Amino acid sequence: MKNFKQIATIAVFVMVAAMVGTPALAHTGGPVSGLYSGLTHPLFGLDHLLAMIAVGVWSAALPVNRAWQGPVLFVAMLALGAALGMGGVAFPLVEPGIIASVIILGAMIAAFRFIPSAVGLAAIGGFALLHGHAHGTEAAGAVASYMVGFMIASAALHLAGYAGGRLVNRLRYGLVASGVAFSAAGLLLAVG
C-alpha cells in the first residue's frame, strides 16, 4: 500500500503541473536573444520542460555507465535542430511533434523494459531536433549565447529528471507510474 501511495503521488504531481501550466509558452512567436533568454526559454514551456525531464527519467533506468547517452544525444541534436531552424530549414509539424514527444517519452518510460535502448535513443534524437528547431526559429541577435543558454538549461533539466528517475526507479512501479503521468500530461497539453 505504501508503494501505491508513492506512485499515486508522483502521477498526481505531474498531472497537476500539466494542468497548471499552459502549452508552448516557450514559443513566444517573436525573436529571443542572449544568454538569459536561452537559460529561461526551456523553462517556460511546459512541453519543453516535461520532455527534457522525461529524457532524464528515461536515462535513469539505464545502467549507470550508459545513463549519459540520452541527455548528451538530446543536447547535441538540440543544437543541430536549432542551427537548422536558424538557417531557415523548414520542419513540418514541429509543435505537434513537441507535444507528441512528451506523450511518447512517457510511454517509453512506462514500457522501458520492453523497448530497446537504441530505439529509445533514436526517438530522443528525433525529438531533440524538433525542440531545437523550435528554439532556433525564434533566435535573433546574440544567437551564440542564446544557444549556450538553452543547451545549459536543457542539460540541467535532464539532470533533474535523472535525479527524480533514480528515486522513482527504486519503487516497484515507479517508472511505470511516472511514464503514465508524463503521457497523461502530454495528452492534457494536446487537448489544452
Side-chain angles (χ1 to χ4, degrees):
M1 192 60 148
K2 181 180 176 185
N3 281 341
F4 177 76
K5 287 181 181 179
Q6 291 171 332
I7 292 167
T9 301
I10 293 166
V12 167
F13 174 76
V14 173
M15 290 172 55
V16 166
M19 288 185 273
V20 171
T22 56
L25 278 178
H27 308 292
T28 60
V32 290
S33 176
L35 182 63
Y36 178 77
S37 290
L39 288 169
T40 58
H41 203 61
L43 305 176
F44 292 124
L46 193 56
D47 48 1
H48 288 294
L49 185 74
L50 288 170
M52 290 179 214
I53 291 171
V55 168
V57 172
W58 181 86
S59 296
L62 290 172
V64 174
N65 65 338
R66 292 187 18 229
W68 59 271
Q69 293 173 334
V72 168
L73 175 64
F74 192 99
V75 171
M77 297 304 282
L78 183 73
L80 176 60
L84 292 171
M86 284 185 267
V89 176
F91 279 17
L93 305 172
V94 171
E95 289 300 326
I98 288 172
I99 291 177
S101 73
V102 177
I103 298 165
I104 295 169
L105 286 166
M108 286 170 39
I109 294 167
F112 182 82
R113 298 188 192 282
F114 307 105
I115 299 173
S117 61
V119 172
L121 288 169
I124 286 169
F127 294 143
L129 277 174
L130 295 175
H131 284 266
H133 189 274
H135 288 300
T137 56
E138 295 179 342
V143 173
S145 59
Y146 170 69
M147 284 184 68
V148 167
F150 74 71
M151 291 169 61
I152 289 170
S154 298
L157 291 169
H158 294 320
L159 186 58
Y162 178 80
R166 296 295 292 168
L167 292 174
V168 299
N169 201 12
R170 293 179 184 165
L171 302 172
R172 185 169 181 191
Y173 298 108
L175 281 177
V176 173
S178 62
V180 168
F182 278 109
S183 291
L187 289 169
L188 287 172
L189 289 173
V191 299

